[in-house]
Amino acid sequence: MTALVIGADYLGGMEQKMRDMGITEIAHITGRNPGEVKRMHIPKAAAFVLVFTDYINHNMAKVVKSHAKAQSVPLVYAKRSWPAVEHKLAGLGL
């Protein structure tokens, strides 16, 4: 399973915990650099997009939402803490 994670400078231990849940590939975009908005794309194999709400600017959030809607990819918003992410991913059935 592939996931796109947007927000935060680094994922730290969260990356391994996501892999333990069955996510094999994790694409990561920090969401802080304004130039990333133009280059942002969702991988075709992405099962979902995880957005860290406390580490992303408003324009990037708007672009991500429109891309996810156009590609019919589930969009998950969470704070950058493992309990919050785990709770949201459990809602997807992971």
Side-chain angles (χ1 to χ4, degrees):
M1 177 183 316
T2 302
L4 174 62
V5 179
I6 300 176
D9 293 330
Y10 64 96
L11 298 178
M14 225 177 282
E15 185 174 356
Q16 185 57 46
K17 290 179 181 182
M18 290 174 71
R19 290 188 192 283
D20 292 344
M21 292 182 80
I23 301 166
T24 55
E25 287 188 45
I26 301 170
H28 180 234
I29 299 172
T30 63
R32 290 191 188 243
N33 184 353
E36 289 177 327
V37 174
K38 295 177 185 173
R39 297 185 311 266
M40 200 285 299
H41 72 281
I42 298 173
K44 296 229 184 257
F48 65 92
V49 176
L50 173 63
V51 178
F52 290 127
T53 56
D54 41 357
Y55 289 95
I56 188 170
N57 66 45
H58 290 283
N59 191 37
M60 178 63 104
K62 183 178 174 183
V63 169
V64 168
K65 184 177 178 179
S66 68
H67 282 274
K69 187 175 182 179
Q71 294 180 2
S72 299
V73 176
L75 193 56
V76 179
Y77 296 98
K79 289 189 172 194
R80 191 185 176 276
S81 70
W82 178 245
V85 171
E86 186 176 34
H87 176 73
K88 295 290 184 161
L89 294 182
L92 287 177
L94 296 178

